Amino acid sequence: MSAAIERPRKVTTHVLSEMKMKGEKISMLTSYDYSMASIVDQAGIDVVLVGDSASNVMAGWETTLPITLDQMIYHGASVVRAVKTALVVVDLPFGSYQGNSREALHSSIRIMKETAADAIKLEGGLEIAESVKRIFSAGIPVMGHLGLTPQSIHKFGTYTVRARQEEEAKKLIEDAHFLEEAGCFGLVLEKIPAKLATQVASELKIPVIGIGAGNGVDGQVLVIHDMLGINQSFSPRFLRRYHNLFAEISGAVGNYIEDVKSGDFPNEREQY
Ligand code: KIV
């Protein structure tokens, strides 16, 4: 009789909150397709984010604004089919929740039903209070996102560090408390001073995941194309590159082209 293979347990929002209590850091990465999500999940990541950064890295748009709800659902469902263990969070795209709480609920329900993801993420604080509350009323787990919120890039005008000034920092702290009280299970803080992020993480009971927010938070998230060095055009200070996949892939493609042109591929063993 073969021994049962012990699989890691499914990561839930409850597991994340236990990790925060134990001081165990949470790892989170984006994925947008089945094959990448399968690798990331099997490597042991805690949370897979189907980010609206798909608009940039998958579709080549300048900002995250153009991606649609249907496209996010396509990416979300592809990722969910691959992931066995990690918690899967899908971004609500721009225009699918701001300013209309009924639409926010409808968009969230579509994501949960049509992707089978575990949770949704949205950007903003008190200004989207009604939408946040309505989504919670349907029992959908919500992750917040404050600081540099790329869906508001046309309001900010630049991708520079947010909340350096006291007034903006104060609003961010208020928004973070609002999101926790409203029922968010976690919060992403993007590109804000490390000291402020550390303060928010220590004041909140829910896990706070940073991107460009220093090391005093409960976990880190990066866009997978950036950390693998597939996307070479984006190199902010907070990014650590773990590989140069651009060079690896273009080297392999170059070798293939050479083999095809020289007639070396396919050889005897590679044909029928
Ligand atoms: O869309 C995304 O990838 C994100 C992360 C940068 C947090 O929201």
Side-chain angles (χ1 to χ4, degrees):
M1 202 173 73
S2 65
I5 298 165
E6 202 185 308
R7 295 189 68 88
R9 67 176 171 156
K10 170 77 186 164
V11 179
T12 60
T13 57
H14 183 69
V15 169
L16 297 183
S17 120
E18 277 177 1
M19 288 171 79
K20 169 149 183 159
M21 279 192 299
K22 285 191 250 161
E24 186 186 338
K25 295 268 188 181
I26 296 163
S27 60
M28 173 162 159
L29 276 175
T30 66
S31 289
Y32 317 98
D33 66 279
Y34 178 88
S35 304
M36 187 69 89
S38 177
I39 298 171
V40 167
D41 185 51
Q42 287 179 51
I45 203 81
D46 297 313
V47 183
V48 175
L49 172 65
V50 185
D52 60 357
S53 49
S55 181
N56 311 106
V57 296
M58 299 300 286
W61 290 108
E62 192 71 31
T63 71
T64 57
L65 276 65
I67 200 160
T68 65
L69 183 59
D70 283 338
Q71 288 164 344
M72 287 304 297
I73 288 171
Y74 168 80
H75 289 296
S78 308
V79 166
V80 168
R81 285 193 287 270
V83 171
K84 304 276 181 286
T85 306
L87 183 92
V88 180
V89 181
V90 177
D91 265 342
L92 280 184
F94 175 70
S96 72
Y97 63 100
Q98 296 96 335
N100 182 338
S101 61
R102 278 179 195 278
E103 197 179 343
L105 177 60
H106 179 69
S107 305
S108 306
I109 289 176
R110 277 201 64 201
I111 287 186
M112 298 303 283
K113 263 186 175 317
E114 295 177 42
T115 71
D118 301 305
I120 60 105
K121 175 166 86 56
L122 40 64
E123 297 181 6
L126 277 156
E127 61 282 4
I128 53 153
E130 211 183 301
S131 293
V132 171
K133 286 181 188 155
R134 210 180 260 266
I135 299 167
F136 281 126
S137 71
I140 297 171
V142 178
M143 183 168 223
H145 184 156
L146 297 172
L148 176 66
T149 46
Q151 291 179 11
S152 308
I153 189 58
H154 294 307
K155 185 176 88 183
F156 297 148
T158 122
Y159 285 98
T160 53
V161 180
R162 304 303 311 171
R164 277 197 197 277
Q165 307 303 324
E166 205 182 315
E167 204 178 318
E168 199 182 336
K170 199 166 151 263
K171 169 154 176 23
L172 187 141
I173 295 168
E174 277 167 19
D175 283 343
H177 281 282
F178 158 71
L179 290 170
E180 174 169 84
E181 277 151 31
C184 277
F185 71 88
L187 174 65
V188 168
L189 290 180
E190 182 165 353
K191 222 170 174 185
I192 63 166
K195 199 165 155 223
L196 175 61
T198 305
Q199 181 188 340
V200 173
S202 71
E203 286 183 15
L204 298 194
K205 289 185 192 68
I206 58 172
V208 174
I209 314 293
I211 172 164
N215 206 6
V217 289
D218 307 303
Q220 299 293 328
V221 56
L222 285 176
V223 169
I224 191 138
H225 289 64
D226 300 337
M227 63 82 77
L228 290 178
I230 298 173
N231 177 17
Q232 298 274 308
S233 59
F234 184 67
S235 18
R237 174 168 161 178
F238 68 75
L239 175 63
R240 186 178 292 181
R241 281 222 174 90
Y242 287 84
H243 217 303
N244 186 350
L245 263 197
F246 183 94
E248 294 270 331
I249 295 172
S250 78
V253 172
N255 291 342
Y256 168 74
I257 295 169
E258 237 176 76
D259 290 353
V260 170
K261 303 270 181 199
S262 69
D264 180 71
F265 175 78
N267 64 23
E268 288 283 311
R269 282 170 284 112
E270 292 161 335
Q271 62 192 14
Y272 301 97

